Amino acid sequence: MSLGLDFSIVVIIALNVLISFKGFNDFSFFEKYKFNVGAVKAGQQYRNITSGFLHADMPHLLFNMVTLYFFAPFLVQQLDSYKFILVYVVSLLMGSLLSFGIHKENNYYSAIGASGAVTGVIYAAVTMFPEMKLYMFFAIPIKGWIFGILYLAYSIYGMKKSVGNIGHAAHFGGAMGGYALALILKPEILSQNLFYTILIGLPILALFILMKLKKI
């Protein structure tokens, strides 16, 4: 995987850094642009996007940007700069929309961070190359398709049990965006890796069933 940074990646990382630092030092700015269910209901739809460029603190920002640094060049190489940006933005928006859908009865629910968009980038890569090697906890080697299934299974558990101060719904929504865009932009995946594509999509189907049954 090449670590060369395309200009599109530099722009996205720069926007995350600049907007996050502004939010670190300006509480009113942070409050105005974070995702909040009540505010979105009131018509402030821009929060679905702007919240993805805010972070809680430096570790939060650093983790997301380092992860993006490693995975984004791969996506640019397989697609192109414009399609990479499309995957990033759609995944970010899908994360916000699923968060709204899951938490729409809680007007006080808020969220920030690029995790949904970054998860979408990772999931698009895993969908295109399911046997790519990843490292859980930076040490344990695991195939991409296994990582994808385990990650979304944990996200479902996190949504059901409200585990930690983590936007599990945003992560899952982002993954859905990455999965869908990978199939749309590289439809040959279906003929090349049909079995893995179905496996990777099973947690998404499971979430829809659980939502239909009102289990989440």
Side-chain angles (χ1 to χ4, degrees), residues 135-146:
Y135 289 88
M136 290 186 69
F137 310 113
F138 304 102
I140 305 170
I142 186 173
K143 292 290 182 67
W145 68 272
I146 298 175

Side-chain angles (χ1 to χ4, degrees), residues 173-213:
M176 288 169 59
Y179 179 77
L181 263 296
L183 297 180
I184 292 170
L185 299 175
K186 288 185 75 73
E188 61 269 25
I189 294 170
L190 289 171
S191 58
Q192 294 172 350
N193 297 306
L194 180 60
F195 177 69
Y196 288 128
T197 302
I198 293 172
L199 281 181
I200 293 170
L202 287 178
I204 297 174
L205 176 62
L207 178 65
F208 278 115
I209 292 173
L210 289 171
M211 291 178 68
K212 188 71 174 177
L213 296 175

Side-chain angles (χ1 to χ4, degrees), residues 105-122:
E105 301 304 325
N106 180 4
N107 286 343
Y108 296 101
Y109 180 83
S110 298
I112 40 95
S115 302
V118 174
T119 302
V121 170
I122 296 173

